[in-house]
């Protein structure tokens, strides 16, 4: 399958995110060339793709999609050979990322876009070591990429509009919900929004306001259900009744500002980390991660089906 002249993707780094990306690309009928220097990476990638495949079948495979279109290579250069697009998923360290991008940039023709899955690094710094920095973009997925549609696309200071357009069009063509982040900020958009919620959740535990389980329930059975349907601004708009968002901001603006002023600024001390860990273990009540992931994925699949 070819999408805007892209039919072969190099997946560089095949940990949790890279393996999920590889499975998704395969499900969309693309050929995938993978590389990861970690011992046992080849076997772990195959196992991960096999584990993700039933979920992708439920979502719907592109005609001709097959796991046989995956090849794993022993060297970085071999994996990049013939690639039309690169999805990089290396360690979240700027020095390692720069070294990897320098090598990829030297091995690829200048027209190939290199997208990074980095969750927090700035592309302006990563691309600074490249001879062809204009083709470097951030293509940050939301975990797990084979299931969650969101991809944040961000250019660095030297990224060309053509590279941003190519990434946006490619991700959208393969079924992703790509958004263009117009300014580089740490954590991009979704992770910053998450971080704001995490900070207050951790503060509430620290202050003894609620248990870990009750805070999880407050989101999973409260605003989280609304957020799965609509984003924060449209939900606020509906809360404003006939007057919409303008009415809500006018009449509830002061109370909201008073809540902001009262939000906490917790410090993750060893004691607080231990309390949170104990709270999560109590909430799990013997459920393993595999069962928890299966439950999460089933709910997400149902939501995605209703949204489509």
């Amino acid at each position: 399958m070819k999408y805007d002249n892209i039919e072969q993707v190099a997946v560089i780094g095949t940990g949790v995110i890279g393996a999920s990306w590889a499975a998704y690309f395969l499900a969309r009928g693309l050929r995938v060339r993978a590389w990861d220097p970690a011992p046992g990476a080849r076997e772990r990638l195959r196992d991960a793709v096999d584990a993700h495949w039933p979920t992708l079948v439920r979502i719907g495979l592109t005609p001709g999609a097959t796991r046989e279109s995956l090849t794993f290579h022993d060297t970085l250069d071999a994996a990049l050979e013939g690639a039309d697009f690169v999805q990089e998923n290396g360690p979240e360290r700027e020095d390692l990322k720069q070294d990897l991008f320098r090598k990829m940039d030297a091995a690829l023709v200048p027209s190939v876009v290199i997208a990074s899955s980095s969750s927090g690094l700035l592309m302006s710094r990563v691309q600074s070591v490249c001879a062809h920095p204009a083709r470097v973009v951030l293509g940050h997925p939301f975990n797990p990429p084979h299931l969650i549609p969101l991809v944040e696309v961000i250019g660095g200071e030297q990224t060309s509009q053509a590279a941003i357009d190519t990434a946006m069009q490619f991700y959208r063509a393969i079924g992703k919900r790509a958004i263009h982040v117009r300014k580089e900020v740490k954590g991009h958009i979704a992770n910053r929004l998450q971080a704001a919620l995490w900070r207050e959740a951790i503060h509430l535990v620290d202050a003894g306001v609620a248990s870990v389980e009750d805070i999880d329930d407050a989101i999973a059975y409260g605003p989280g259900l609304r957020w799965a349907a609509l984003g924060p601004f449209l939900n606020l708009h509906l809360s404003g009744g006939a007057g919409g968002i303008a009415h809500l901001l006018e009449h509830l603006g002061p109370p909201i500002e008073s809540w902001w002023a009262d939000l906490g600024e917790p410090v993750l001390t060893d004691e607080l980390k231990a309390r949170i860990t104990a709270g999560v273990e109590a909430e799990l009540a013997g459920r393993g991660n595999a069962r928890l992931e299966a439950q999460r994925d089933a709910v997400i699949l149902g939501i995605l089906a209703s949204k489509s």
Side-chain angles (χ1 to χ4, degrees), residues 123-134:
M123 286 301 98
S124 290
R125 295 186 60 83
V126 173
Q127 71 185 176
S128 66
V129 301
C130 296
H132 306 285

Side-chain angles (χ1 to χ4, degrees), residues 19-281:
S20 183
W21 264 127
Y24 187 79
F25 291 141
L26 290 168
R28 300 282 72 81
L30 292 156
R31 287 183 285 130
V32 174
R33 303 175 65 86
W35 173 80
D36 190 305
R42 182 192 303 265
E43 293 75 20
R44 285 193 298 273
L45 174 59
R46 291 285 183 184
D47 290 344
V49 169
D50 288 344
H52 296 328
W53 205 251
T55 296
L56 290 163
V57 170
R58 286 185 62 185
I59 294 172
L61 301 178
T62 297
T66 172
R67 285 170 283 182
E68 299 308 310
S69 293
L70 171 65
T71 55
F72 190 95
H73 300 269
D74 293 330
T75 67
L76 174 62
D77 285 356
L80 296 173
E81 187 175 345
D84 304 311
F85 189 90
V86 177
Q87 189 72 44
E88 175 274 329
N89 317 277
E92 194 73 359
R93 273 181 48 187
E94 186 176 284
D95 58 336
L96 296 178
K97 197 80 76 178
Q98 286 180 330
D99 182 59
L100 182 56
F101 269 72
R102 184 187 296 109
K103 292 174 180 176
M104 292 191 294
D105 184 60
L108 292 158
V109 296
S111 59
V112 175
V113 169
I114 310 175
S116 176
S117 294
S118 172
S119 59
L121 298 178
L122 303 182
M123 286 301 98
S124 290
R125 295 186 60 83
V126 173
Q127 71 185 176
S128 66
V129 301
C130 296
H132 306 285
R135 44 98 162 266
V136 174
V137 302
L138 185 120
H140 175 244
F142 219 60
N143 191 34
H146 72 278
L147 185 57
I148 304 295
L150 178 66
V151 180
E152 297 170 315
V153 176
I154 311 171
E157 293 174 355
Q158 300 181 72
T159 303
S160 69
Q161 187 61 49
I164 292 172
D165 291 344
T166 294
M168 290 286 291
Q169 291 164 9
F170 171 61
Y171 288 132
R172 287 175 174 172
I174 62 174
K176 288 295 184 180
R177 190 78 171 193
I179 61 173
H180 180 207
V181 184
R182 290 162 175 77
K183 181 183 293 187
E184 284 186 302
V185 289
K186 290 182 179 180
H188 324 314
I189 294 175
N191 276 338
R192 288 178 72 94
L193 293 171
Q194 282 196 136
L197 176 60
W198 290 335
R199 183 175 74 173
E200 187 57 19
I202 290 169
H203 165 68
L204 293 174
V205 172
D206 191 29
V209 173
S211 69
V212 167
E213 183 174 7
D214 285 343
I215 291 169
D216 275 348
D217 282 350
I219 295 300
Y221 294 93
L225 294 173
R226 296 193 308 203
W227 293 337
L230 300 170
F233 290 115
L234 286 182
N235 272 304
L236 282 174
H237 173 71
L238 290 181
S239 296
I245 188 74
H247 174 79
L248 181 134
L249 294 175
E250 182 66 28
H251 291 275
L252 287 184
I256 290 173
E257 288 181 319
S258 73
W259 300 340
W260 288 341
D262 194 51
L263 295 177
E265 295 183 0
V267 176
L268 282 171
T269 63
D270 289 342
E271 188 273 336
L272 179 54
K273 287 186 284 188
R275 286 172 60 193
I276 293 170
T277 300
V280 169
E281 290 173 349

